[in-house]
Amino acid sequence: MSVESVREYLSRFGAQEKIREFTESSATVELAAAVLGVIPARIAKTLSFKSPEGALLIVAAGDAKVDNRKFKDKFGYKAKMLSAQELIDLVGHPVGGVCPFAVKSGVPVYLDQSLKRFDTVFPAAGSASSAVELTCAELFEYSAAEEWVDCCKLPEAAE
C-alpha cells in the first residue's frame, strides 16, 4: 500500500487533500517532527503488534512508550512488535509509513489516550515521507478505531 492508497481511502471522508508529502524522510518521530516543525509528541506513531488473529495497531503520541503491563491487561497477551516483513504481509504498509488508514482487512486499530493532549496530531500517510494533520476526533473516525485505550506511559516530565 502507499500514499495513493491512503489518499483514496481518505477521499471517502473528503480528507485526501490534507495529506502532505515531503522530499525529506518522516520515517521516525524525530524526523517527522523536524519536517513538520512540531514537537515530537504531536507525531501520532502507529505501533504494530502481533496478535492471535495476526496484527493489531495502536496509534500513540510520539513521546509515549508502550507499558507492557497495561498492554497485557488490556489485550490478554504480551506486546510483541511485528517484523518489517510481517508488517507488509499483515498490515500492508512499510516501516516508516505505517498508519491506521487503508490497512488490510481485519486489522483492528486502537488509539492511545496519550494523543488526547493535542488539538491535532500527525500520523503517517502510507510512506516514509508523508503525514496528515487530523484532530483526535477525525483520527478516530478515519481510522475506524475500535476504542480509546490506555496502553502507554509518558515521560515523567510530560505526566
Side-chain angles (χ1 to χ4, degrees):
M1 299 199 189
S2 64
V3 174
E4 286 312 310
S5 65
V6 173
R7 191 179 320 280
E8 182 180 323
Y9 175 86
L10 290 178
S11 71
R12 70 181 80 172
F13 305 100
Q16 68 277 12
E17 298 305 319
K18 290 185 173 196
I19 294 175
R20 295 171 59 185
E21 293 186 80
F22 318 107
T23 54
E24 303 92 354
S25 175
S26 59
T28 67
V29 167
E30 292 75 21
L31 290 172
V35 76
L36 287 161
V38 299
I39 60 171
R42 285 188 60 205
I43 302 304
K45 62 185 176 184
T46 303
L47 305 168
S48 54
F49 299 95
K50 289 185 180 184
S51 74
E53 296 77 29
L56 168 140
L57 301 178
I58 296 177
V59 184
D63 61 345
K65 298 207 180 312
V66 171
D67 181 306
N68 290 320
R69 170 53 45 205
K70 289 180 178 181
F71 183 98
K72 188 170 185 180
D73 288 348
K74 171 66 184 168
F75 298 107
Y77 52 89
K78 186 178 176 183
K80 184 168 178 12
M81 300 289 288
L82 295 176
S83 70
Q85 187 58 53
E86 289 171 322
L87 198 51
I88 296 287
D89 295 342
L90 298 174
V91 178
H93 292 299
V95 171
V98 180
C99 65
F101 319 112
V103 297
K104 290 193 173 181
S105 179
V107 177
V109 174
Y110 296 87
L111 303 184
D112 189 75
Q113 298 284 346
S114 59
L115 295 167
K116 287 187 171 182
R117 298 174 288 159
F118 307 106
D119 291 333
T120 63
V121 294
F122 297 86
S127 76
S129 58
S130 66
V132 57
E133 184 175 12
L134 300 172
T135 66
C136 288
E138 289 170 330
L139 179 58
F140 189 87
E141 179 185 358
Y142 301 171
S143 67
E146 300 287 325
E147 64 181 291
W148 287 95
V149 296
D150 180 13
C151 289
C152 294
K153 55 187 170 190
L154 297 174
E156 291 297 322
E159 289 182 344

